[in-house]
Amino acid sequence: YPTSDAATPSIIDKLVSGGADVRIDNQRRKQVIEFLSTYVLPLVMLANLFALVFVATKGGGGGLSGLSEFASIGKGRGQGDGGGVTFADVAGADYAVIELREVRDYLADPSKFAALGALPPKGIMMFGPPGCGKTLMARAVAGEAGVPFFPVSGAEFVESLVGVGAARVRDLFRQVRSVAPAIVFIDEIDAVGRRRGGASGGQDEREQTLNQLLIEMDGFDATSGVVVMGATNRPDILDPALLRPGRFDRQVTVEPPDFDGRIEILKLYAERRPREGEVDYANLARRSPGFTGADLANVVNEAALLCVRREKAAISMAELEEAVDRVISGPKRRGHLMSDEERRRIAYHEAGHVLVAAATNRLADVPRVSVAAHGHTLGHTAARTWAEQTLITRSELFSEMTTLLAGMATEELIFGEASTGSEADIERAGAIAQMMAGRYGMTEAIGKVPLLRNEGSGFLGSELIPAETVGTAELSVLHSETARLVEEADQAALTVVERNRAVLEELVALLLEHESIEGDPLVAVLAKVDAGAGRARGRRRAAANAAGIML
């Protein structure tokens, strides 16, 4: 009964004085239930609600699904034998395949390694630019060996909740050991394998996850049948302990394919689709310098999409050529209207590039020139990139600058002034001149002293910044030398164009008539180029300024 009620005791007293038998039940159990339901239960519900909101926003697991994921770390990662991919599905990367074939042989038959006492690599780290086929090769190894394949991303291990990443690493390797032999593939491993020793003093979640990964790789024997493969575009930021022998003890660089590799990749993807007529794979490979395997696969796919749009049953050479242009510059801008004067200016600009390329012995690097508008470009001159060379000489770099500035020089010669179409050419030429002067020691004024260094290397590009010991005076000299090299290249290009004005007019007339020129017609016109003036001027400048045109 409610003890706080003042009327209740008086009623009980009257009943007792009247001879009634009064018994009182305080009902303690109901009082406890009332207290719990009134005060404790709402607090518990609020605490759970705040916990779920925290996991959803901070833990990266997505609310309740994040909790269930944490409870099932490493479950269901195995994907059979890599999806049926084999080395037959890999082309243009012979060096990498040779290195990985050894892993396939070990997983398929470890006895011959044991007979010689040879220990296979525990881990293989693959470096390379995006799109070169690192994931594809890892799947091919598993497919060739017929072993389970466990693909994970480095970002999956990095969480803000303490201990989540390390627990995922432990559970993953526990599952892999239970089905060995098997392959663990960690893509973008730099997300978890970044160099330790940051401002957190080694106590953050990512470093604990990395420590657990290092422990797990030390915890299994090389003959256990478990091989860990990693892939990254940033090998420069990986922790040294991750790459030491006994962990990732073999590094394989996967680079963009060369000319022959591009032919193989184009054949691999094109011959799986219906084709019409002959396909000149060598011509397509010449027109796609610097393309990765993913780019070339996209070329064939774009050609197939063009066939679907045109209601054709097979891919022809015409679709493949147009697909290369679409991948380089974007789709053709059919609705873009240009005046006759604009088309004429673009034709002279692109013809100047090709003309100077022929005068500097780079004709083989320019298989095609076009004035058709694609994507953000109004014209295009296909050219081989220096990335396909291991070493580049000073004269080759100067020749590249001369060719880049030839379009602007031609506009100034013909129309009296340049246009905004030379923006990208000036930027690239300036970057080359800056590297020649400040990084490669190719000028006398600066000498062989590097004034610039790369900020962030790897395969995702880098930026040149002044070295720590460089002062204002040195930077002023660097700027002067960069401007001088660019000006010399511009004058050399102008000299070649002036000398070959007749060839220039013939080339422009063909471009305005046919829109694109390549192959024998282009070679026939450029065979008339007289490089004598450029040769003489280049030799004089080489003697005076330690730079010249490659002829």
Side-chain angles (χ1 to χ4, degrees):
Y1 68 97
T3 56
S4 60
D5 187 3
T8 303
S10 63
I11 294 174
I12 296 174
D13 290 341
K14 289 180 180 180
L15 291 173
V16 173
S17 63
D21 184 12
V22 179
R23 298 177 183 178
I24 301 174
D25 183 4
N26 291 321
Q27 295 184 329
R28 296 292 183 184
R29 181 178 180 185
K30 288 187 177 182
Q31 293 183 36
V32 173
I33 294 175
E34 181 183 4
F35 174 79
L36 293 176
S37 61
T38 305
Y39 300 104
V40 179
L41 183 60
L43 291 176
V44 173
M45 294 177 64
L46 286 174
N48 278 275
L49 178 61
F50 281 119
L52 290 175
V53 171
F54 174 78
V55 172
T57 57
K58 299 294 185 181
L64 291 173
S65 62
L67 296 178
S68 62
E69 182 182 348
F70 179 79
S72 59
I73 295 171
K75 305 300 181 182
R77 294 293 186 185
Q79 294 189 355
D81 57 355
V85 179
T86 64
F87 286 141
D89 301 297
V90 180
D94 296 338
Y95 159 73
V97 169
I98 292 174
E99 294 294 323
L100 296 176
R101 204 183 299 272
E102 192 172 274
V103 179
R104 185 275 316 267
D105 295 340
Y106 161 69
L107 293 173
D109 183 17
S111 59
K112 63 180 181 181
F113 289 83
L116 292 173
L119 295 177
K122 272 188 177 183
I124 295 179
M125 185 69 72
M126 292 187 288
F127 309 136
C132 288
K134 298 183 289 294
T135 303
L136 179 66
M137 292 182 190
R139 291 185 179 277
V141 174
E144 288 277 339
V147 298
F149 184 66
F150 291 77
V152 293
S153 172
E156 295 181 31
F157 298 119
V158 181
E159 298 286 353
S160 62
L161 294 178
V162 177
V164 172
R168 286 180 174 170
V169 171
R170 285 192 298 269
D171 286 352
L172 174 62
F173 277 88
R174 185 182 303 117
Q175 182 185 357
V176 172
R177 290 191 188 96
S178 66
V179 296
I183 290 178
V184 179
F185 176 65
I186 307 176
D187 197 9
E188 304 298 341
I189 196 173
D190 52 276
V192 68
R194 188 180 294 266
R195 188 185 302 268
R196 292 169 292 181
S200 61
Q203 299 302 317
D204 64 12
E205 170 65 5
R206 184 192 58 78
E207 292 196 5
Q208 292 185 31
T209 305
L210 174 58
N211 292 336
Q212 186 62 45
L213 177 61
L214 298 177
I215 292 171
E216 292 294 336
M217 294 195 68
D218 283 337
F220 63 86
D221 189 80
T223 59
S224 63
V226 177
V227 175
V228 183
M229 303 182 69
T232 180
N233 308 314
R234 296 294 310 275
D236 55 301
I237 64 174
L238 293 179
D239 194 279
L242 198 63
L243 300 178
R244 74 159 176 80
R247 289 177 181 146
F248 286 98
D249 41 16
R250 176 170 297 182
Q251 288 89 44
V252 178
T253 302
V254 184
E255 299 177 336
D258 56 10
F259 176 76
D260 294 331
R262 293 197 296 274
I263 293 178
E264 294 177 10
I265 295 174
L266 286 167
K267 286 182 178 180
L268 177 67
Y269 288 105
E271 292 182 357
R272 294 178 177 180
R273 293 170 170 84
R275 299 182 311 283
E276 178 183 284
E278 293 293 328
V279 176
D280 188 353
Y281 294 108
N283 182 35
L284 295 174
R286 277 192 296 269
R287 291 177 53 181
S288 55
F291 276 32
T292 64
D295 294 328
L296 297 170
N298 193 29
V299 165
V300 179
N301 185 63
E302 286 286 348
L305 293 175
L306 288 172
C307 289
V308 173
R309 182 182 304 176
R310 298 168 183 174
E311 298 183 352
K312 294 181 60 176
I315 301 174
S316 67
M317 185 66 181
E319 282 78 31
L320 289 169
E321 290 178 337
E322 184 174 344
V324 172
D325 293 335
R326 290 173 68 90
V327 173
I328 292 175
S329 306
K332 193 172 183 179
R333 296 161 62 182
R334 302 186 185 279
H336 183 76
L337 298 178
M338 289 188 296
S339 65
D340 292 340
E341 184 66 16
E342 285 179 323
R343 292 187 72 251
R344 192 163 163 269
R345 179 181 286 272
I346 294 170
Y348 274 105
H349 182 103
E350 299 300 330
H353 284 310
V354 182
L355 191 69
V356 174
T360 56
N361 279 358
R362 296 194 64 217
L363 178 57
D365 301 336
V366 185
R368 185 174 186 267
V369 59
S370 172
V371 294
H374 283 268
H376 60 280
T377 62
L378 300 178
H380 176 66
T381 300
R384 180 177 65 87
T385 62
W386 294 116
E388 296 187 329
Q389 283 190 224
T390 304
L391 298 175
I392 311 171
T393 65
R394 178 172 52 192
S395 58
E396 287 174 335
L397 288 171
F398 192 84
S399 171
E400 172 75 1
M401 291 171 50
T402 305
T403 304
L404 286 170
L405 296 171
M408 186 176 185
T410 305
E411 288 189 47
E412 293 174 337
L413 175 65
I414 302 299
F415 302 99
E417 59 181 354
S419 69
T420 57
S422 304
E423 177 185 4
D425 298 333
I426 295 174
E427 184 178 353
R428 290 173 58 192
I432 293 174
Q434 194 176 51
M435 288 190 295
M436 290 174 66
R439 185 157 180 81
Y440 299 141
M442 293 182 176
T443 60
E444 292 183 353
I446 295 178
K448 299 175 177 59
V449 179
L451 302 183
L452 301 175
R453 65 179 178 86
N454 275 326
E455 175 68 15
S457 53
F459 298 94
L460 296 180
S462 58
E463 180 182 359
L464 288 177
I465 63 172
E468 291 82 354
T469 57
V470 175
T472 306
E474 288 85 354
L475 290 178
S476 177
V477 176
L478 173 62
H479 177 75
S480 300
E481 287 298 290
T482 301
R484 180 184 64 80
L485 289 172
V486 171
E487 179 62 24
E488 288 185 5
D490 180 66
Q491 290 300 317
L494 183 60
T495 301
V496 173
V497 174
E498 287 176 338
R499 178 80 176 183
N500 296 276
R501 182 69 177 268
V503 181
L504 176 70
E505 298 294 344
E506 183 180 355
L507 189 58
V508 168
L510 288 173
L511 280 172
L512 292 175
E513 179 182 357
H514 301 288
E515 197 175 70
S516 299
I517 312 174
E518 62 182 311
D520 294 338
L522 180 62
V523 174
V525 175
L526 295 179
K528 306 172 185 178
V529 171
D530 180 8
R535 180 182 295 110
R537 191 182 187 94
R539 286 175 179 171
R540 287 195 300 272
R541 292 190 182 276
N545 304 305
I549 305 176
M550 183 187 71
L551 296 170

